[in-house]
Amino acid sequence: MNNLLETPIEYLKGVGPQRGELLRKELNIHRYADLLNLYPNRYIDRTRYYKINELQNSNSEVQIVGRVIHIKTVEQKRGKRLVATFVDDTGEMELVWFQGQKWIRESLKLNSVYVIFGKVTAFNGLFNMAHPEMELLADHEKSLRSAMQSVYPSTEKLTQKGITNKTVNRLMQQLFIETQALFKEPLPANLIDELKLIPKNVALFNIHFPKSQELLAKAQFRLKFEELFFIQLQLITKNLIRKHKIKGHPFDSVGAYFTTFYNHHLPFDLTNAQKKVLKEIRNDLGSNAQMNRLLQGDVGSGKTIVALMTMLLALDNGFQACLMAPTEILANQHFLGIRELAKDLNLNIKILTGSTKTADRKIIHEELENGSLHIIIGTHALLEDKVKFHNLGLAIIDEQHRFGVEQRSKLWKKNTIPPHVLVMTATPIPRTLAMSLYGDLDISVIDELPPGRKPIQTVHRYDSNRLKVWKFLKDEIAKGRQIYIVYPLIQESEKMDYKDLMDGYEGISRDFPLPQYSVSIVHGQMKPAEKDAEMERFASGKTNIMVATTVIEVGVNVPNASVMIIESAERFGLSQLHQLRGRVGRGAEQSYCILMTGHKLSNDSKIRIETMCRTNDGFEISEVDLKLRGPGDIMGTQQSGVLNLQIADLVKDRDILQLARHEAIRLLKDDPSMNKPEHQVLKQVFIELSKKRNIWNHIS
Ligand code: ADP
Ligand code: MG
């Protein structure tokens, strides 16, 4: 049976070479199995028959039983139309055709009972249906068509070439005929019993040809569960294999660097969350397995010191450590922060980015190779082949979602034994999503902000209230505070955006004139040196206001800045707004975030702005974001395709995901290699799937 499903799609009766080509190109359907797994987007309910007096002008699809009692051609300026009067025992309506009139007129049987199907609209108090699907009641009753009609994904090209939804439905029927719907059951019998799942072949039949709403729901549940279950099996197995087979460098000693720092140089007490996370990390490092951990912590939660202390553990065990950040500004910020924290430890710490001078670069390369450089911080420049380590024991990656999975693995290859990996992200990912996207990583969360922080107050103001906002800014500046004003910069409208930024800068410079005020500006078209100099002027308090594009989104740390103004806030995504807001609230003062918008706001923009005003909780915000945008967008295109789910939805089906994970763990605990006889089919399918979906190999 399995082999049959591998048959190239053009061999299916009704397909042939031309349609085969189209199906491959447009829907990625190569084999019978791909067609079988083309699940409908939605279903049209044909279980219900409407009476004419029940119709409503809702533009929805309905089916009605009745008779055509009269038919006529109506001449119009814009051409003819064919109009039939259709009646049932409750009333009358019109059926209308603009095309194919001759054929309809000849084939339509007056006074015979038909089932019609289509969208109704009201016009002049009379309901009408344009181009209805029609079938004689007698034929309708004989046909095997299921009550719920599947609507499949399609493309414009397919429709143009005559591969309509009806065609796909027919091909699907043909597929079930040729395969006799004998699809093997991959799930073990006891799991099916316990969860009361319907068998695989029943599920597949009902996903395509639902017999009833109830069976459709069962089919969907079963297939979603199966899809998520196999992903979880894969992730968990990967994780287990890593823990057993991939030896890490055991960092078994907590040595002088760590202890000295902990006892004498900690600039503040660690929060409980930081302590907890460090403990989790030390557990990993002390075991024989390679650490692969995701560290989540909202902006300002204090990830940097955790990173440093983890690096100290590496140094204590005779290894080097590196920290990679996605941008030069951020790398620099880390470099300054870590150098400051570690200033009394007598360590050799350097930074390597695209703008490191050749002479410095040479020294860095040498010191990395001979082992005299303890900690290197940098950007992508760290990934270059020329960069070789004496013994890299730990790689920390900040803002993980900006790096591709491949880049992560590049770092790995810098040693024969892979270094421990700690991935840090300030984009909180809801746990369910993290679980399925990073199920192969262990997860630590810093879920507590350092003490003494006052929650940032966020408000929404319309552009028309700008004067009041400016007054507020002047008051804050008078108190000695500093201010960010951020403009959007979207690639597609870059020119306009720069104009807005420059206009804004001019306006602000006018409204906040020298010598009382001074305004900085930073944007992507400036040279890095200029940018840094300007950032530095602001950071050291020489300027009061920083006008910028989103270049300041990540990492920048100026504790005295207490107001963040976001211009055209409706154009920013939620996570970006949250990141930007995180630039303030870093000192002891009350901080504010003001979201400026025009009066016209889309529904989504309204939700985003309301959410920002309501909460400072990054996890809550990312849940809303997830609902608005879907998981693909959140992870960025690089990773959205990774899971490539056929039927399950990580947001809507999180309960099923939880269940699938639970069951996968239970099964693997009982039978880690899936060697029990009752798990043989499962194992076989698992191996096939792993071959196809070997995305996770990039990671480990
Ligand atoms: P992020 O997680 O965004 O990288 P940082 O590591 O930059 O956060 O920390 C944000 C600020 O909070 C820094 O100024 C840092 O010195 C401070 N900080 C971190 N941990 C604590 C703590 N336990 N107590 C007080 N301040 C802390
Ligand atoms: Mg940080």
Side-chain angles (χ1 to χ4, degrees):
M1 202 67 261
N2 212 19
N3 295 342
L4 194 45
L5 283 179
E6 293 298 320
T7 314
I9 195 65
E10 56 260 46
Y11 293 114
L12 187 71
K13 194 173 159 219
V15 178
Q18 269 174 6
R19 284 181 163 182
E21 183 70 13
L22 272 171
L23 288 173
R24 267 195 298 275
K25 276 212 181 114
E26 297 293 307
L27 294 176
N28 210 11
I29 293 175
H30 298 257
R31 309 155 306 136
Y32 281 23
D34 299 325
L35 182 62
L36 185 63
N37 291 329
L38 179 76
Y39 298 139
N41 283 335
R42 63 187 182 95
Y43 300 85
I44 300 168
D45 186 355
R46 296 199 64 167
T47 52
R48 167 137 197 227
Y49 295 89
Y50 285 76
K51 293 291 185 188
I52 290 175
N53 69 356
E54 290 175 313
L55 295 180
Q56 284 174 356
N57 193 13
S58 63
N59 201 30
S60 55
E61 287 157 314
V62 295
Q63 66 183 344
I64 310 165
V65 182
R67 293 172 297 126
V68 173
I69 54 168
H70 181 71
I71 192 157
K72 67 182 178 213
T73 300
V74 178
E75 299 279 354
Q76 270 181 312
K77 264 193 234 139
R78 280 176 292 140
K80 289 186 291 191
R81 66 196 151 104
L82 189 65
V83 178
T85 307
F86 185 79
V87 298
D88 68 5
D89 48 10
T90 70
E92 88 174 48
M93 63 184 289
E94 285 184 342
L95 311 181
V96 185
W97 291 267
F98 302 95
Q99 277 135 32
Q101 298 179 21
K102 182 162 178 283
W103 185 80
I104 300 278
R105 188 154 205 156
E106 281 163 9
S107 56
L108 203 74
K109 296 195 174 84
L110 282 184
N111 291 313
S112 300
V113 182
Y114 277 97
V115 178
I116 64 166
F117 178 80
K119 281 184 183 169
V120 286
T121 47
F123 184 70
N124 281 346
L126 197 59
F127 281 101
N128 70 77
M129 187 184 283
H131 288 262
E133 274 182 39
M134 296 184 75
E135 197 171 26
L136 286 166
L137 181 62
D139 294 340
H140 183 78
E141 280 168 348
K142 266 186 288 177
S143 80
L144 279 175
R145 187 195 31 234
S146 65
M148 315 274 296
Q149 201 173 308
S150 301
V151 181
Y152 287 97
S154 185
T155 66
E156 209 173 312
K157 188 104 181 251
L158 283 178
T159 324
Q160 270 171 18
K161 301 273 175 180
I163 303 190
T164 61
N165 194 50
K166 237 182 188 163
T167 320
V168 178
N169 265 293
R170 264 207 312 274
L171 295 178
M172 200 64 80
Q173 284 182 26
Q174 183 61 28
L175 179 75
F176 274 77
I177 293 169
E178 287 188 26
T179 56
Q180 299 178 312
L182 294 173
F183 309 118
K184 75 179 162 200
E185 175 61 73
L187 298 180
N190 65 336
L191 191 60
I192 291 181
D193 281 355
E194 272 172 42
L195 300 179
K196 300 200 172 63
L197 300 175
I198 57 174
K200 176 81 178 225
N201 50 9
V202 178
L204 281 171
F205 186 85
N206 278 284
I207 203 79
H208 292 296
F209 314 105
K211 285 243 165 78
S212 66
Q213 286 282 7
E214 198 195 345
L215 271 167
L216 173 61
K218 284 191 172 154
Q220 285 170 327
F221 183 85
R222 149 83 213 214
L223 295 172
K224 285 173 179 182
F225 175 84
E226 182 179 325
E227 178 165 49
L228 296 169
F229 183 69
F230 274 105
I231 289 176
Q232 291 304 321
L233 280 183
Q234 226 179 333
L235 290 170
I236 296 160
T237 323
K238 272 266 144 70
N239 204 345
L240 289 176
I241 291 175
R242 180 164 54 76
K243 286 200 172 129
H244 285 115
K245 294 227 185 91
I246 305 186
K247 286 240 183 319
H249 312 282
F251 290 179
D252 30 34
S253 58
V254 176
Y257 287 124
F258 189 94
T259 328
T260 311
F261 182 78
Y262 193 81
N263 292 332
H264 303 295
H265 305 307
L266 266 188
F268 34 67
D269 291 336
L270 296 178
T271 61
N272 285 330
Q274 284 168 322
K275 284 186 199 156
K276 174 194 73 188
V277 163
L278 269 169
K279 204 182 230 168
E280 287 164 352
I281 290 172
R282 279 173 60 174
N283 271 343
D284 285 2
L285 297 177
S287 79
N288 275 318
Q290 183 221 16
M291 172 171 80
N292 220 353
R293 188 168 278 279
L294 178 71
L295 173 58
Q296 291 195 39
D298 213 340
V299 273
S301 61
K303 294 185 290 298
T304 314
I305 197 157
V306 173
L308 171 66
M309 293 176 77
T310 308
M311 293 199 274
L312 295 181
L313 285 170
L315 307 193
D316 274 339
N317 286 274
F319 291 96
Q320 295 167 299
C322 75
L323 192 164
M324 185 164 80
T327 65
E328 198 153 331
I329 292 186
L330 190 52
N332 210 33
Q333 188 102 38
H334 273 304
F335 174 65
L336 296 176
I338 283 176
R339 198 178 55 178
E340 172 65 21
L341 283 169
K343 62 178 184 294
D344 298 319
L345 293 177
N346 197 19
L347 291 175
N348 185 3
I349 305 176
K350 290 214 164 92
I351 177 165
L352 179 68
T353 70
S355 50
T356 306
K357 296 205 183 68
T358 319
D360 295 339
R361 202 174 273 263
K362 246 182 104 183
I363 297 175
I364 290 173
H365 289 169
E366 269 168 37
E367 290 187 344
L368 277 177
E369 270 196 83
N370 70 25
S372 61
L373 188 52
H374 298 107
I375 294 177
I376 181 80
I377 295 167
T379 55
H380 294 80
L382 294 176
L383 298 174
E384 285 168 17
D385 291 334
K386 275 175 285 179
V387 177
K388 297 198 183 81
F389 289 84
H390 176 63
N391 56 357
L392 179 65
L394 169 71
I396 300 185
I397 304 176
D398 196 8
E399 296 295 336
Q400 113 89 24
H401 62 291
R402 293 175 189 230
F403 290 105
V405 196
E406 267 165 48
Q407 289 171 319
R408 256 205 275 169
S409 71
K410 243 185 164 173
L411 266 179
W412 280 57
K413 295 189 185 118
K414 295 206 173 272
N415 258 27
T416 37
I417 297 186
H420 295 291
V421 176
L422 182 68
V423 174
M424 304 197 295
T425 175
T427 307
I429 304 160
R431 244 199 139 76
T432 43
L433 187 56
M435 226 160 62
S436 45
L437 282 172
Y438 301 107
D440 68 324
L441 301 187
D442 297 309
I443 299 174
S444 288
V445 185
I446 306 186
D447 48 8
E448 178 189 1
L449 292 179
R453 298 261 173 89
K454 298 198 179 82
I456 303 164
Q457 286 182 23
T458 303
V459 293
H460 173 206
R461 292 288 179 264
Y462 292 108
D463 290 334
S464 47
N465 281 331
R466 189 172 295 278
L467 278 181
K468 274 194 189 149
V469 174
W470 268 198
K471 166 83 174 62
F472 174 72
L473 296 190
K474 289 186 172 167
D475 291 347
E476 283 293 300
I477 293 173
K479 286 190 230 160
R481 306 285 114 72
Q482 289 170 285
I483 298 183
Y484 292 105
I485 304 183
V486 175
Y487 284 80
L489 182 65
I490 317 287
Q491 238 149 24
E492 298 88 71
S493 48
E494 199 171 354
K495 257 200 181 140
M496 284 297 292
D497 285 347
Y498 269 114
K499 191 174 171 310
D500 287 352
L501 174 76
M502 288 310 171
D503 290 351
Y505 174 64
E506 272 174 32
I508 291 160
S509 300
R510 247 194 332 269
D511 296 339
F512 295 83
L514 286 162
Q516 197 181 355
Y517 303 101
S518 63
V519 184
S520 282
I521 181 166
V522 165
H523 59 74
Q525 291 188 343
M526 289 161 71
K527 294 208 182 76
E530 280 177 88
K531 245 192 302 196
D532 289 351
E534 205 53 31
M535 280 304 307
E536 184 47 41
R537 256 159 48 88
F538 183 67
S540 62
K542 293 197 182 85
T543 57
N544 318 106
I545 300 180
M546 165 59 78
V547 177
T549 53
T550 43
V551 290
I552 61 152
E553 184 184 341
V554 279
V556 176
N557 192 11
V558 181
N560 190 50
S562 66
V563 187
M564 166 63 65
I565 310 270
I566 303 177
E567 296 284 348
S568 305
E570 71 271 24
R571 291 179 59 199
F572 289 88
L574 255 180
S575 71
Q576 228 181 350
L577 289 172
H578 181 63
Q579 290 289 325
L580 283 169
R581 179 168 60 183
R583 296 308 106 211
V584 295
R586 308 193 140 227
E589 310 304 331
Q590 175 63 56
S591 292
Y592 306 89
C593 173
I594 304 179
L595 306 172
M596 304 292 300
T597 74
H599 278 278
K600 251 197 186 159
L601 293 176
S602 71
N603 266 343
D604 279 11
S605 304
K606 275 185 203 150
I607 295 175
R608 288 198 293 265
I609 286 167
E610 276 164 20
T611 306
M612 287 294 293
C613 293
R614 184 183 71 234
T615 179
N616 279 305
D617 179 343
F619 281 93
E620 194 179 334
I621 288 168
S622 74
E623 295 269 350
V624 177
D625 204 20
L626 194 55
K627 278 190 196 126
L628 290 178
R629 297 198 298 164
D633 266 353
I634 291 205
M635 305 319 299
T637 40
Q638 273 170 331
Q639 276 152 22
S640 64
V642 162
L643 286 180
N644 208 0
L645 295 176
Q646 295 273 2
I647 184 163
D649 177 320
L650 291 175
V651 182
K652 293 189 196 125
D653 301 321
R654 56 181 72 189
D655 292 348
I656 308 180
L657 174 60
Q658 221 101 322
L659 179 68
R661 185 167 177 83
H662 173 79
E663 293 297 339
I665 290 172
R666 205 162 67 117
L667 187 137
L668 289 173
K669 266 196 186 141
D670 165 52
D671 184 15
S673 313
M674 295 179 246
N675 280 339
K676 290 193 172 172
E678 63 268 33
H679 295 154
Q680 282 322 291
V681 188
L682 179 80
K683 184 169 186 172
Q684 194 190 335
V685 174
F686 173 81
I687 290 170
E688 281 165 26
L689 279 177
S690 307
K691 276 188 213 142
K692 278 178 203 133
R693 223 195 251 263
N694 67 350
I695 42 168
W696 305 104
N697 291 342
H698 298 289
I699 299 173
S700 344

